[in-house]
Amino acid sequence: MKNKTSFPPQEGEARPSRCPDNSAFKQQKLPAWKPQLTIATVLSSFFFTGAFCLSVGVCLILSTNSVREIQIDYSDKCSDCSKLRENSSNWNKECHCSVNFMLKEDILGDVFMYYGLQNFYQNHRRYVISRSDAQLLGRNVNIQKSYCAPFTTYRNGTPMAPCGAIANSMFNDTIDLFYNLKSSVIQVPLLKTGNSWWTDKNVKFRNPKSYNLSSAFAGTARPPYWQKPVYLLDEEDERNNGYVNDDFIIWMRVSAFATFRNLYRRVSRIRQFADGLPAGNYTFHISYNFPVTKFKGRKHVILSTVVWSGGSNPFLGIAYVVSGTAATLTGFVITAIHLKLRKKKAYFQK
C-alpha cells in the first residue's frame, strides 16, 4: 500500500503505516461457514416453518375465542351529557347517565373493565412528544424548554403539572358498576390500583420528594381540561395520587391506532363476585366528563376476561396462520418446480 502523504518523512522519522494489524480478524483470516443449500434443506425449512406457524396460529385463535367479552357503546345513551360537554364553559357542571344491560351467562374468572375510544388519534407526532419525562420523574425542571408547548404555563407564569397535550387530554369519565337484584342493588367492587406496569410505577413515574403531595406540587396548577389538581386524582388512596396514579400512567401510554382501549378497573373477587360476574341485570353509572363529539368519536365500556395469550384480539393468531400458509404454499411451489426441472433434465439425458 502506497503512502499518499503530502510531505515525505524527514530523515530518521518512521514512515506511518496504514496497514491493518496482523490479526486474524483484521486480515480476514477467520474461519467461515457457508451453508450448502440443497433441495432437501430448503423444502424442510419451508414446511417446518409453515407447520410451526400454523399450529401456533390455531392455538392463539382458539385461545382468543374462549375470551368472554361484552362491549357497550354509551355515546348515544348519554347524549344529553354529550351536548352539555360540547360547550367548554360547562366544564364545572356535573352530568350523570346510566346504561342498563344484561349478562345471559356467568363470566367466570378475573374480569377486567376497559374504556374504549374510537376516532381519537394519539399517533400525531406533536401529540406523542408533548410531555416532559423529566417532570414525570419528579424532578424540578424548566418545562419551557420541553416539548409541552402550548400546555406549559398559564399567562401569569404558573407552570402546569403535568404539562403537555397528552396529560391535558386525559380520559376522566367515572364509571361504576351495579348488580341489580330483585330486592336490592349491589355495587360491584372495583380495584383502581395494580393496573399499571411495575416499570411504570417504579421507574418511569415518580412524585416530587416532599413531606406531602400538596406541598410537593405547590406553585403549580392543573392542566386546563382537568377538574382536579394532580395530587387529588384519588381522594380515597393517598398512594395513588400525583404522577404515580394508575389511571394517569395508563393514559400516558399512547396508542398507535385511532380505536383503542385502556384498562380502567378490575373486579374484586369478593362476596357475590368471588367467582366472577354472575348472570343477571347490571347498570353502569357514568359521570360524563370526556367530550368526543367534536372529533366524531365514540366511547365504550368493555367487560372482558383474559387468557394466557391476552385479551380478545385475534390479530396475532391470524398473522401466524397467514405466515404459515404462505410458507407451506411456497414449499409446494418449490417442490413442483423441482420435480418439473428434474423430469426435464432426465428427458434430455436419455
Side-chain angles (χ1 to χ4, degrees), residues 191-194 196 200-202 205-207 212-213 217 230-249:
L191 301 174
K192 61 176 70 174
T193 57
S196 59
D200 288 338
K201 197 86 171 181
N202 296 275
F205 295 84
R206 300 280 181 84
N207 282 325
N212 60 41
L213 278 182
F217 289 98
V230 66
Y231 55 87
L232 291 178
L233 289 178
D234 189 351
E235 299 181 5
E236 299 176 357
D237 188 355
E238 294 182 356
R239 298 171 297 178
N240 191 37
N241 266 319
Y243 297 147
V244 296
N245 176 265
D246 276 47
D247 293 337
F248 174 71
I249 290 175

Side-chain angles (χ1 to χ4, degrees), residues 3-23:
N3 195 338
K4 298 181 180 179
T5 54
S6 300
F7 300 97
Q10 301 296 325
E11 185 177 355
E13 294 182 0
R15 181 182 295 273
S17 175
R18 295 186 179 182
C19 296
D21 296 338
N22 188 20
S23 62

Side-chain angles (χ1 to χ4, degrees), residues 75-140:
S75 304
D76 296 331
K77 297 179 180 180
C78 298
S79 58
D80 293 338
C81 293
S82 179
K83 293 178 181 178
L84 180 69
R85 290 290 175 250
E86 289 181 7
N87 189 347
S88 59
S89 62
N90 297 325
W91 67 270
N92 59 344
K93 297 180 180 179
E94 294 186 359
C95 190
H96 302 272
C97 58
S98 300
V99 179
N100 299 317
F101 66 98
M102 183 180 67
L103 289 181
K104 297 181 180 180
E105 298 179 357
D106 297 344
I107 300 182
L108 302 178
D110 294 327
V111 182
F112 298 83
M113 180 189 293
Y114 301 83
Y115 62 85
L117 291 177
Q118 184 177 343
N119 207 37
F120 188 93
Y121 288 85
Q122 289 188 312
N123 55 5
H124 193 281
R125 188 185 69 87
R126 289 287 303 275
Y127 182 88
V128 172
I129 66 175
S130 185
R131 58 187 292 166
S132 173
D133 292 322
Q135 183 194 47
L136 299 176
L137 283 172
R139 299 173 183 171
N140 187 13

